[in-house]
Amino acid sequence: MKGAKLQIVRRYRASPDKVFAACTDPSIMARWFGPKDFRVTELEADVRAGGTFAFRMVGPPGEMAAEGTYETVEPPALLVHTWRWTEGPPEYPPDGVSSRITYEFSADGRGTRLTFTQEGLLDQEEADSHKQGWSEALDKLGAILGEPQ
């Protein structure tokens, strides 16, 4: 996939099954998707290969929305989906550019190592912006999983 890439590795004390579930259960996803100052207002996810997701969140720059299609769903090891902004501020134009997000879950001692990768971003500036947002979202995921803050 062309374009810039970002990767974030996190370790959680929860099992791969529990972390995978938190990344695929829409009611849990709605609690952690988005940066720290954002709140998800709508989220639908049909988590199966070929299924789609769509979500909307509100935060400091206003409303933002994205959608995607699940390409690979292999519990509790691998989750892959496309990502495309459909609404947002000027720096995230709904231009049809799609990136791919991969979550790799592996047992790590008494917990889980999550490797989050987003490929196909427009440039390094977009990758850096997304890295901050996804890092904050993964912090929120950790809080839901009971990680110390």
Side-chain angles (χ1 to χ4, degrees), residues 71-140:
E71 296 178 342
T72 307
V73 180
E74 298 176 2
L78 183 63
L79 181 66
V80 181
H81 62 77
T82 60
W83 177 276
R84 184 177 75 84
W85 289 110
T86 57
E87 185 179 328
E91 63 268 26
Y92 297 119
D95 55 12
V97 173
S98 183
S99 61
R100 176 174 291 115
I101 294 177
T102 302
Y103 302 78
E104 297 171 275
F105 308 84
S106 57
D108 182 15
R110 291 180 280 170
T112 301
R113 179 178 193 249
L114 169 61
T115 303
F116 173 95
T117 306
Q118 187 170 14
E119 299 174 274
L121 295 163
L122 295 174
D123 53 32
Q124 192 57 47
E125 183 179 344
E126 185 181 30
D128 292 344
S129 172
H130 278 63
K131 185 170 188 168
Q132 178 180 345
W134 282 114
S135 292
E136 291 175 1
L138 294 172
D139 288 346
K140 289 169 33 177

Side-chain angles (χ1 to χ4, degrees), residues 2-71:
K2 293 182 181 179
K5 172 181 168 180
L6 75 88
Q7 189 167 75
I8 303 168
V9 176
R10 291 294 174 91
R11 288 180 171 76
Y12 300 113
R13 292 183 300 197
S15 70
D17 287 323
K18 187 171 182 181
V19 180
F20 187 91
C23 293
T24 56
D25 179 323
S27 66
I28 299 172
M29 292 167 61
R31 294 171 45 206
W32 68 266
F33 247 47
K36 67 179 179 178
D37 294 329
F38 285 77
R39 178 179 51 84
V40 171
T41 58
E42 299 174 35
L43 190 144
E44 295 180 11
D46 179 10
V47 186
R48 60 177 175 82
T52 61
F53 77 89
F55 87 100
R56 178 176 300 281
M57 64 184 171
V58 64
E63 284 196 45
M64 300 173 75
E67 65 185 14
T69 300
Y70 289 98
E71 296 178 342

